[in-house]
Amino acid sequence: MKFKNFFFSLLKDKSILVPLKLILIVIGFCVSALLAWKQIFKSDLPFCEIATCDIVLGSQWAYFLGVPFSFIGLLVYSFLFFTSFSCGKFLNQVRKIILTSSVSVSLFLTIISVTTIKATCLYCLISFFIFVLLFYLEWRTR
């Protein structure tokens, strides 16, 4: 219970929110870069044998219009990083729309992964979790 109170008290301190978001965005970018690397070079990643990443990343659901979702993730995280330094009303709304879409797509793909593909990718789950945290922080702070 103490950790929960500590965590929520940190979120009330707005001075820590921007660095926290930037850290999450950089981690998300790195996760997407690893997944893109794996898809391009067919290389092994740590912990993929546990989470059966090959099955997930090799499925038809890993692509949108022929583009791997890991590449789309790179674009989304890049956009979030470069727009996080702006406080304009328009960009705030665009970030909210992009994060809402990212969480929705990631949730859909996670459900597909578990129910249809019957395999999970640890890195995909980490990216989903990061999108959820960023979504929460974005809607809470602006």
Side-chain angles (χ1 to χ4, degrees), residues 15-119:
S15 65
I16 198 168
L17 292 180
V18 172
L20 178 61
K21 284 196 259 185
L22 288 174
I23 290 168
L24 288 171
I25 290 167
V26 168
I27 293 170
F29 183 88
C30 291
V31 167
S32 289
L34 280 171
L35 290 171
W37 180 270
K38 178 168 182 55
Q39 286 184 296
I40 291 170
F41 298 107
K42 309 292 184 223
S43 62
D44 291 333
L45 295 176
F47 308 112
C48 273
E49 59 278 349
I50 296 170
T52 59
C53 294
D54 290 332
I55 296 169
V56 174
L57 296 176
S59 76
Q60 67 182 13
W61 297 99
Y63 299 87
F64 179 72
L65 300 175
V67 178
F69 274 107
S70 57
F71 290 18
I72 296 168
L74 288 172
L75 291 175
V76 169
Y77 285 119
S78 296
F79 174 82
L80 293 173
F81 181 82
F82 289 113
T83 61
S84 63
F85 301 105
S86 170
C87 295
K89 195 173 188 177
F90 175 74
L91 281 179
N92 289 343
Q93 293 301 323
V94 172
R95 270 195 305 272
K96 287 180 180 180
I97 291 168
I98 286 179
L99 281 169
T100 302
S101 301
S102 298
V103 168
S104 301
V105 168
S106 291
L107 177 62
F108 172 75
L109 291 173
T110 300
I111 292 169
I112 291 295
S113 178
V114 171
T115 60
T116 304
I117 302 171
K118 305 220 185 300

Side-chain angles (χ1 to χ4, degrees), residues 99-141:
L99 281 169
T100 302
S101 301
S102 298
V103 168
S104 301
V105 168
S106 291
L107 177 62
F108 172 75
L109 291 173
T110 300
I111 292 169
I112 291 295
S113 178
V114 171
T115 60
T116 304
I117 302 171
K118 305 220 185 300
T120 57
C121 170
L122 178 64
Y123 295 98
C124 301
L125 295 174
I126 290 170
S127 185
F128 171 58
F129 183 67
I130 290 171
F131 277 137
V132 169
L133 287 174
L134 288 170
F135 172 85
Y136 173 77
L137 292 173
E138 188 69 32
W139 281 91
R140 179 163 171 73
T141 60

